[in-house]
Amino acid sequence: MMATAVGNQVSPTSGRYHFPPGFQRNLLWFAWRRFRPANPITLFQHLAQAYGDIAHYKIGWNHILFLNHPDYIREILVVQNDNFVKERTVRRSKMLLGEGMITAEGAQHRLQRQVAQPAFHRQRIPEYAAAMVREAARVRQTWRAGQQRDVAIDMMHLTLNIVADTLFATDLRAEVDELADAINRIMDLYNFLVMLPAAEWLVHVRPPGLAGFVRARKRIDAVVYRMITAHRRQKSDRGSLLDLMLAASPDQSPESEQSLRDQVITIFLAGYETVANALIWTWYLLSQNEDCERRLHDEIDRELQGRLPVFDDVPRLRYAEMVFAESLRLYPPAWAMGRYARADFRLGEFLLPARTTVLMSQFVLHRDPRFFPDPLRFDPERFAPEAKARRPKFTYFPFGAGVRQCIGESFAWMEGVLLLATLAQKWKLKLVPGHPVEPQPLITLRPRFGMRMLAERRGSQPLG
Ligand code: HEM
């Protein structure tokens, strides 16, 4: 049954349309009054609190809906999916990603997904496990007892190297600093870009604030093009994702090269930023919940008996998976998603016009006490099989849903479990006292001030 809005709000009607309750004033008015990038999560939380499962507001002429109920989310992402595109909701992301799998639509999207699919096939995933553990084992060797580390940087570098190695058969270790730094630069500018009218056009005339964006994008492109050229020269055919993309690229015309660049950069960014952030938040949550941390350590010691994990261990590391799942609930790296309606549509009792933007937020719904009682408590038991089975579908959607569901989901679960197990086997991470922790919703949910933690050696086993 479809949910209805709470409260005793009167739903406005306008012409033949019937809108859910929401802000009466145009949001542009607020923006002009307090011209600074507002935190969109605060806005979404306010909408959910004030208007319930579905809220309506306008920015300029544009109608926006904010959904906060699993039935509505299923309706948009699955049932009425044909009527919705990403289009305007990913306009800003296109400035970095171009027309890659995340931002493309229709035939172009289908083709890209088809080309990439074999690299994410179940049979390929075990091959990647060894590379993930190898890289994590190398990193844990470099840590020193009592050392203060920015775990945010560590996790970004680790997952960037893993994507390069597994999907693009490339050793990026020499360039990882430069690449991560350029991407950070872009993320820092992202909020500014989101607020800037006509930013897509302005990058071409390069006002001072955007010069940094253009420079950083050039640095990223240079690394990507170097990778493509090296692969072409080696005539490599190991079946890596990059080989598949090269084989499907019709020629070396500027358009094909641009498209290849867009496809590569999209998987790079989607494949490392998300997992890195999930792990950063997991280390933080473990440091705040010693009982859960102890249970995780017990499981690792019991199941692995001191050896490094392999692919076959993943199903046995069940608590590690529950910890990772609970971390994705509280700090979902993809914290919100949007769709854009092609034609008029119905949602429950409401009739909405074409060109309405529909927003939903994993961050907000995952913290809804109706579905996750005592929502701020970190409790991996919520992901025990029986507890999971009791919850309605679409209350938890860190990887999206429907035809555009994350292609890297299995990759990400395995990577999360293996990296947690490999690193936590030897190390415990404690938050540096007084270090401020605040989620910052950019393209992904990052810790605004990084994550400074103290590395503490576990047990007396030698590092190996
Ligand atoms: C914890 C890790 C991850 C999270 C939370 C995550 C989340 C998501 C979400 C929510 C979407 C759907 C967006 C939408 O429908 O608007 C998505 C799509 C996508 N993800 Fe992930 N992702 C993760 C890891 C990965 C990895 C490891 C890869 C690749 C190696 C990847 C590649 C992609 C791609 C290419 C898409 C676009 C799929 C399409 O539109 O057909 N993701 N991801």
Side-chain angles (χ1 to χ4, degrees):
M1 213 186 60
M2 187 60 70
T4 53
V6 296
N8 49 6
Q9 315 279 342
V10 179
S11 307
T13 43
S14 154
R16 59 198 215 83
Y17 298 112
H18 179 197
F19 295 99
F23 287 151
Q24 295 306 308
R25 267 190 216 275
N26 199 303
L27 213 62
L28 265 187
W29 182 83
F30 289 106
W32 282 119
R33 256 185 92 211
R34 296 191 294 155
F35 191 75
R36 64 188 164 87
N39 182 340
I41 288 182
T42 317
L43 169 68
F44 293 160
Q45 280 170 331
H46 170 77
L47 287 167
Q49 239 165 35
Y51 305 108
D53 297 335
I54 182 165
H56 168 254
Y57 60 97
K58 282 181 85 178
I59 299 184
W61 298 110
N62 302 312
H63 291 283
I64 321 260
L65 280 189
F66 177 70
L67 306 181
N68 196 46
H69 192 282
D71 291 349
Y72 285 137
I73 289 170
R74 174 171 170 273
E75 197 66 21
I76 301 295
L77 296 181
V78 180
V79 182
Q80 300 190 39
N81 158 65
D82 283 350
N83 187 35
F84 291 93
V85 287
K86 289 183 156 183
E87 218 179 78
R88 297 162 66 108
T89 62
V90 289
R91 228 170 19 183
R92 297 295 192 262
S93 307
K94 279 191 183 183
M95 293 169 66
L96 172 62
L97 303 178
E99 299 287 338
M101 201 195 301
I102 288 185
T103 45
E105 299 285 357
Q108 193 186 19
H109 167 258
R110 268 195 304 281
L111 181 66
Q112 288 194 19
R113 189 140 179 151
Q114 237 167 34
V115 167
Q117 202 70 59
F120 292 97
H121 195 274
R122 261 174 217 288
Q123 285 164 339
R124 293 300 301 272
I125 299 286
E127 280 173 43
Y128 303 146
M132 291 169 178
V133 172
R134 198 183 326 119
E135 195 55 28
R138 192 185 64 77
V139 165
R140 80 180 189 185
Q141 292 269 31
T142 64
W143 291 3
R144 295 288 166 260
Q147 200 179 35
Q148 248 194 46
R149 311 196 57 91
D150 187 344
V151 172
I153 295 179
D154 284 336
M155 294 302 116
M156 293 283 176
H157 286 191
L158 174 57
T159 57
L160 192 55
N161 279 325
I162 288 174
V163 171
D165 185 10
T166 54
L167 296 174
F168 295 102
T170 300
D171 184 348
L172 265 192
R173 272 184 243 160
E175 285 156 306
V176 73
D177 276 339
E178 183 185 356
L179 199 55
D181 185 57
I183 293 171
N184 281 343
R185 183 84 194 109
I186 289 197
M187 292 290 170
D188 289 344
L189 288 166
Y190 190 74
N191 260 356
F192 168 64
L193 291 174
V194 168
M195 288 302 290
L196 198 65
E200 303 88 320
W201 176 79
L202 281 172
V203 279
H204 299 296
V205 279
R206 300 189 193 188
L210 285 185
F213 176 89
V214 176
R215 261 199 313 273
R217 193 173 59 184
K218 271 195 169 156
R219 281 161 63 198
I220 297 168
D221 286 0
V223 175
V224 170
Y225 282 124
R226 267 205 302 279
M227 235 167 69
I228 294 174
T229 311
H231 257 68
R232 276 216 180 94
R233 206 173 317 116
Q234 293 158 5
K235 298 210 167 24
S236 122
D237 193 13
R238 285 168 42 190
S240 75
L241 179 59
L242 186 51
D243 293 329
L244 298 171
M245 287 173 170
L246 282 168
S249 185
D251 49 44
Q252 290 187 35
S253 64
E255 298 77 42
S256 303
E257 292 295 278
Q258 175 73 39
S259 163
L260 204 52
R261 173 261 177 223
D262 293 352
Q263 293 176 51
V264 171
I265 197 72
T266 294
I267 301 275
F268 243 116
L269 206 69
Y272 99 93
E273 261 274 329
T274 47
V275 183
N277 280 307
L279 286 165
I280 298 164
W281 291 115
T282 308
W283 295 121
Y284 164 68
L285 288 163
L286 285 170
S287 77
Q288 305 301 298
N289 294 275
E290 281 190 2
D291 286 353
C292 302
E293 187 185 50
R294 200 168 313 116
R295 263 191 79 178
L296 175 69
H297 289 157
D298 289 348
E299 178 181 85
I300 294 169
D301 296 346
R302 190 179 61 244
E303 296 299 334
L304 302 180
Q305 301 286 328
R307 61 175 173 78
L308 284 170
V310 292
F311 175 73
D312 287 340
D313 292 316
V314 175
R316 283 193 284 274
L317 294 166
R318 284 179 45 197
Y319 193 70
E321 187 184 299
M322 285 158 62
V323 163
F324 195 59
E326 174 69 341
S327 164
L328 288 174
R329 179 184 74 82
L330 277 167
Y331 294 98
W335 54 275
M337 293 175 18
R339 292 293 189 268
Y340 184 68
R342 299 199 301 195
D344 290 2
F345 64 105
R346 271 194 184 284
L347 210 46
E349 66 195 271
F350 307 109
L351 178 61
L352 291 314
R355 296 195 288 278
T356 294
T357 296
V358 182
L359 301 175
M360 47 216 125
S361 166
Q362 285 92 336
F363 189 95
V364 178
L365 191 63
H366 288 181
R367 290 169 179 235
D368 190 318
R370 291 175 296 175
F371 310 115
F372 299 97
D374 194 4
L376 300 187
R377 193 161 60 89
F378 177 71
D379 178 11
E381 288 302 323
R382 298 182 205 268
F383 290 90
E386 321 75 63
K388 249 162 71 172
R390 276 199 301 273
R391 244 185 333 263
K393 268 191 99 178
F394 300 96
T395 45
Y396 179 72
F397 62 121
F399 294 94
V403 290
R404 307 286 308 240
Q405 179 155 345
C406 179
I407 197 174
E409 180 170 352
S410 318
F411 186 102
W413 281 114
M414 180 174 75
E415 188 176 5
V417 169
L418 290 175
L419 266 46
L420 271 180
T422 308
L423 295 170
Q425 191 171 39
K426 299 288 177 194
W427 294 100
K428 213 169 149 159
L429 292 164
K430 293 255 157 277
L431 190 68
V432 168
H435 179 78
V437 176
E438 191 187 310
Q440 186 182 27
L442 299 175
I443 296 183
T444 52
L445 192 70
R446 288 181 154 214
R448 186 184 292 275
F449 307 103
M451 196 63 78
R452 294 212 69 84
M453 302 189 90
L454 275 169
E456 222 175 73
R457 275 277 284 285
R458 280 195 59 223
S460 54
Q461 307 111 311
L463 289 174

